Amino acid sequence: MSKIKTHLKIGGALVLSLLVQRGAFALELDPAIFPEFTIGGRAVATVNAEAMETAGGGDEQDAKLDIGDSSLLLGFSKYLFKPGQYAYAGLGLRVAEEQRDIAQGMFLSQAYAGIGGPRYDLVMGRHRLPNTLLHFPVLREDDLLDFSVVANASSVSSAEEDQVFGNLVQAAWWWRPAWKFDAALTGRAERDVGGALGAQDFNGASIGLAYQLPTAFKVARGLRYAAVRIDQQNARAVAGLDNVAVSSLLAALSYHLNDDPESDWAADVQAIVRSGVDVASLTNPAARARAAFTSVTAALRYAHRPQLQTRWRAALLAAWQNYGDFNEANALLAGASYVYRLGSGVDVAAQYFYRRNDDVLAAALGYQSDHRVQVGLVFAFDMIFNESVAERGGLLDFEHHMGGSGPAGLGE
């Protein structure tokens, strides 16, 4: 009888243990909370006409339809357990430019995850590189890529896939609402002359300091944005070039010329200075990205915004670059852009640029001067479902778009 009681006790204990464990698992609930979901995109279709004077003195003309830089973006956000803290993730696809140096019609521009709060933001993954400070009012990033972005010294391709996007871990901290410090480890693409893409290991870093006074804080004439950044690359051996360290300094400011948000005048300027290393010539994009270099890009822009709804925008742009270790290696660019808004997110856009290269740079690039005219339509949208998370910035802030003139960076 005692043995039966003992077995019953042991059996009961096992059953109770199983029930407790089942109850413990049942109590470990992960609520199926639907995230805030954002889908955004930008379709760009333009007719491009170009007239070029080659380095040899000949003339070339070309006209084509261009859908480059069209993009589709998905974003997701959730609150964390701690009040005011949030998490987010994003995925983006972009149509590559036709003049790209790599065989790729559409590429993954964004694949990132991050967390943030009122004073900090941390993002990891494939993302825009922190190698520029301002978005300028142009149709496509390629239009000013040679002047406004710190070039990739580890790739022989000048395509934006390697120049604008890469892997990173980037953190930002706001110790005042208008003051931000950021730091990043970057993994730029490593591409050799055969077009093969190497592993995008960490091969650089950057630190930056910015002051920004958004319109939501105050509508007033004066300095609205100022920033400096140091960009460091451990450039890998490609195309006969050695492993070297390349450092660049960026500085930028945006100054609003009036205090009327319905008739907004602003001036933007950005400078890049790279000490550089000795290179034999400028024919290779990776070599140009390592050479001593100075560039200045500026824009004067106006937005007509009755009742705070943009109806049209116009801008004048100018840029200059110089490769300091080479004589006759300067370039000048001047242009204008105009956008007329037909409806929310639907624009008719026109743009003209003229570029002139000095003899040495012309021999390296293959042309002396270039006239470019672009006219077309832009359709942009940004839809939020289950809006519930007040994260910093928005999905399209991570992609370039013509209406997004101003600061470029994490969480803007």
Side-chain angles (χ1 to χ4, degrees):
M1 187 67 179
S2 61
K3 289 183 178 181
I4 294 175
K5 288 183 178 179
T6 302
H7 288 308
L8 287 174
K9 289 179 180 178
I10 295 173
L14 288 173
V15 171
L16 180 61
S17 175
L18 289 172
L19 289 173
V20 169
Q21 289 184 23
R22 282 176 60 91
F25 286 123
L27 291 173
E28 185 60 40
L29 296 176
D30 187 9
I33 298 174
F34 188 75
E36 178 179 297
F37 171 60
T38 306
I39 180 170
R42 180 174 180 259
V44 187
T46 61
V47 175
N48 298 354
E50 187 172 22
M52 181 183 297
E53 179 187 354
T54 65
D59 293 324
E60 294 182 1
Q61 289 83 33
D62 185 31
K64 63 183 179 181
L65 181 66
D66 189 358
I67 60 169
D69 268 13
S70 299
S71 60
L72 180 65
L73 302 158
L74 302 176
F76 309 89
S77 303
K78 278 187 177 183
Y79 274 124
L80 304 180
F81 293 137
K82 189 174 180 180
Q85 315 296 306
Y86 55 84
Y88 59 92
L91 184 70
L93 296 173
R94 179 181 281 217
V95 178
E97 292 286 344
E98 286 189 7
Q99 63 267 32
R100 62 192 181 277
D101 303 319
I102 57 180
Q104 191 172 352
M106 180 167 272
F107 67 100
L108 184 69
S109 61
Q110 313 272 3
Y112 58 83
I115 56 175
R119 289 186 174 270
Y120 78 96
D121 212 301
L122 172 68
V123 63
M124 306 172 66
R126 180 166 176 81
H127 202 276
R128 299 185 62 87
L129 292 167
N131 57 357
T132 189
L133 293 171
L134 284 174
H135 285 315
F136 287 92
V138 294
L139 263 170
R140 295 180 173 91
E141 209 122 27
D142 280 9
D143 299 328
L144 288 176
L145 198 63
D146 290 348
F147 298 87
S148 61
V149 170
V150 176
N152 184 351
S154 297
S155 173
V156 298
S157 170
S158 58
E160 66 178 349
E161 292 93 322
D162 290 356
Q163 302 296 327
V164 176
F165 301 97
N167 295 337
L168 59 72
V169 176
Q170 185 174 12
W173 177 55
W174 286 258
W175 73 91
R176 291 286 188 273
W179 287 93
K180 179 186 76 170
F181 171 81
D182 64 68
L185 293 175
T186 57
R188 286 175 165 93
E190 300 170 17
R191 195 180 299 274
D192 60 24
V193 290
L197 182 64
Q200 290 181 255
D201 300 329
F202 288 130
N203 53 16
S206 77
I207 57 172
L209 177 66
Y211 165 81
Q212 182 184 0
L213 189 64
T215 306
F217 287 0
K218 185 179 181 182
V219 178
R221 183 180 63 176
L223 183 67
R224 306 306 297 271
Y225 176 75
V228 294
R229 174 165 289 146
I230 297 173
D231 181 271
Q232 174 72 27
Q233 297 183 60
N234 298 319
R236 304 304 168 88
V238 292
L241 301 169
D242 297 329
N243 293 329
V244 293
V246 181
S247 299
S248 302
L249 174 65
L250 299 86
L253 62 85
S254 181
Y255 191 92
H256 281 221
L257 303 173
N258 64 347
D259 56 4
D260 182 1
E262 294 185 326
S263 182
D264 187 24
W265 285 93
D268 302 323
V269 62
Q270 175 183 276
I272 299 174
V273 178
R274 182 172 63 232
S275 56
V277 298
D278 291 334
V279 295
S281 72
L282 299 174
T283 55
N284 188 301
R288 292 197 296 273
R290 300 170 185 227
F293 174 83
T294 302
S295 74
V296 178
T297 307
L300 175 64
R301 51 189 170 90
Y302 172 78
H304 182 58
R305 306 175 66 230
Q307 290 80 50
L308 301 182
Q309 292 187 339
T310 300
R311 298 308 305 270
W312 58 272
R313 302 184 300 271
L316 297 175
L317 300 107
W320 167 83
Q321 65 178 210
N322 168 259
Y323 291 90
D325 291 339
F326 293 84
N327 295 322
E328 298 295 321
N330 300 326
L332 287 172
L333 180 143
S337 65
Y338 177 79
V339 173
Y340 183 79
R341 177 143 290 182
L342 298 174
S344 178
V346 183
D347 300 329
V348 175
Q351 184 171 276
Y352 166 75
F353 277 111
Y354 170 74
R355 174 169 173 165
R356 180 79 183 182
N357 299 316
D358 285 348
D359 291 343
V360 171
L361 189 57
L365 298 177
Y367 67 97
Q368 194 87 46
S369 64
D370 181 37
H371 296 267
R372 284 179 290 153
V373 177
Q374 302 175 54
V375 179
L377 293 172
V378 179
F379 183 98
F381 70 96
D382 189 354
M383 297 181 62
I384 301 177
F385 302 91
N386 189 37
E387 186 170 2
S388 55
V389 182
E391 75 272 24
R392 180 179 288 107
L395 185 69
L396 285 182
D397 293 334
F398 290 121
E399 284 280 329
H400 171 78
H401 57 109
M402 196 167 183
S405 304
L410 177 64
E412 304 294 2

